[in-house]
Amino acid sequence: MTETTFAPTVLVQPTAADVAQQVAGVFAQAIRAKPSIVLGLATGGSPVGTYRELVRLHEQSGLDFSNVTTFNLDEYVGLGAEHPQSFRYFMRTHLFDHVNVDPSRTHVPPGVADDIAEAADRYERAIDRAGGIELQLLGIGSNGHIAFNEPGSPRDSQTREVSLTPETIAANARFFDSPDQVPRSAITMGIATILRAKRIVVIATGPAKRAAIGRAIASPPSLDCPASLLQYHRDVTFVIDHEAGHAESTSDGVRSGN
Ligand code: PGA
């Protein structure tokens, strides 16, 4: 039996700054429409501009995070919340410390736990208890990964510990003093966890993402490119800049979805 796939909506912006502004606008509108929304959040270079813009909207327009609940995609195994390269630390630095979100409503998978498998199951249940993720922000790796779901990750995968590929370790070494310091494993939401979100927005900027974007939106879904599995979701929007753009993307902003 063949399964239904959906063409994602692709919005192409001139620059990364325009991408950040558009994505922040989507999130701000969702928060205003439902102040108790459950958001899925991402780390890495891609969402930094979006978080900066959300902080600005909080400061200048009173965007209210006080009833928002957040779940981050992933965390390095072995890094505690105080480690400057941990994703919990990243979220505090770029967003949480600058808006009025209630820290007890912010969730990042634990990088340090007696039993990571058990902590991963608990994380999955916490998402369900909160009512599920309504709007999920995603970056994409140059190898097509989403969160730390590397190529080959099963479509039915849940939150779990995974090994990072050499390509991902090399890509993330820029945040550490040396590549040896990059953790070799992570705790990450699975593909199935991500596909359960009601609505998904993917950010990609720069030429290093062009090949992955092309495969994600224009090739049939394949485990070799985890982002292509997003075609099984009916409400995915890619917001990308020209440099990450695929030949089929239009330059006036929209390639239609369905
Ligand atoms: P980046 O990473 O935003 O730092 O490029 C994206 C990702 O690996 O998901």
Side-chain angles (χ1 to χ4, degrees):
M1 194 181 80
T2 50
E3 212 180 336
T4 312
T5 58
F6 303 89
T9 299
V10 183
L11 306 177
V12 185
Q13 293 289 350
T15 68
D18 299 308
V19 169
Q21 207 169 6
Q22 179 157 43
V23 174
V26 169
F27 275 71
Q29 199 175 28
I31 293 167
R32 289 194 182 104
K34 184 174 181 191
S36 62
I37 193 168
V38 179
L39 299 177
L41 298 179
T43 52
S46 302
V48 168
T50 298
Y51 295 148
R52 195 179 301 124
E53 182 62 14
L54 285 172
V55 169
R56 192 189 67 73
L57 289 169
H58 169 69
E59 287 169 351
Q60 296 179 8
S61 315
L63 182 63
D64 181 10
F65 288 79
S66 61
N67 287 306
V68 170
T69 296
T70 68
F71 286 92
N72 264 77
L73 289 166
D74 45 17
E75 179 61 280
Y76 289 118
V77 166
L79 302 194
E82 298 308 319
H83 191 289
Q85 304 311 334
S86 74
F87 291 160
R88 165 63 79 177
Y89 192 95
F90 175 103
M91 289 309 300
R92 288 211 315 266
T93 314
H94 291 282
L95 185 68
F96 297 157
D97 285 355
H98 309 289
V99 296
N100 62 337
V101 69
D102 174 350
S104 72
R105 288 186 203 262
T106 66
H107 305 85
V108 179
V112 177
D114 289 340
D115 183 341
I116 289 280
E118 201 267 330
D121 287 347
R122 233 180 313 121
Y123 197 71
E124 199 72 45
R125 288 197 302 272
I127 295 172
D128 289 343
R129 256 200 324 275
I133 291 167
E134 293 169 271
L135 178 58
Q136 175 69 58
L137 183 61
L138 277 185
I140 177 171
S142 51
N143 65 356
H145 74 202
I146 48 175
F148 275 132
N149 295 286
E150 301 284 27
S153 296
R155 161 141 179 233
D156 61 358
S157 50
Q158 311 286 331
T159 304
R160 68 207 185 288
E161 183 172 1
V162 295
S163 298
L164 304 184
T165 60
E167 195 172 357
T168 295
I169 291 168
N172 290 6
R174 69 191 196 275
F175 298 114
F176 292 80
D177 290 336
S178 81
D180 329 330
Q181 292 177 5
V182 184
R184 271 27 190 180
S185 70
I187 174 170
T188 183
M189 282 189 201
I191 305 276
T193 322
I194 292 167
L195 289 175
R196 276 198 296 276
K198 279 209 192 85
R199 187 176 164 205
I200 298 172
V201 175
V202 188
I203 300 184
T205 58
K209 301 294 170 68
R210 191 176 302 147
I213 289 293
R215 294 181 69 198
I217 67 181
S219 297
S222 151
L223 295 189
D224 295 342
C225 177
S228 68
L229 303 177
L230 295 170
Q231 292 174 36
Y232 291 119
H233 193 288
R234 63 173 65 239
D235 193 349
V236 179
T237 303
F238 284 78
V239 186
I240 66 178
D241 67 0
H242 275 164
E243 287 191 325
H246 182 250
E248 285 183 24
S249 307
T250 62
S251 56
D252 60 357
V254 187
R255 204 183 71 126
S256 68
N258 62 351

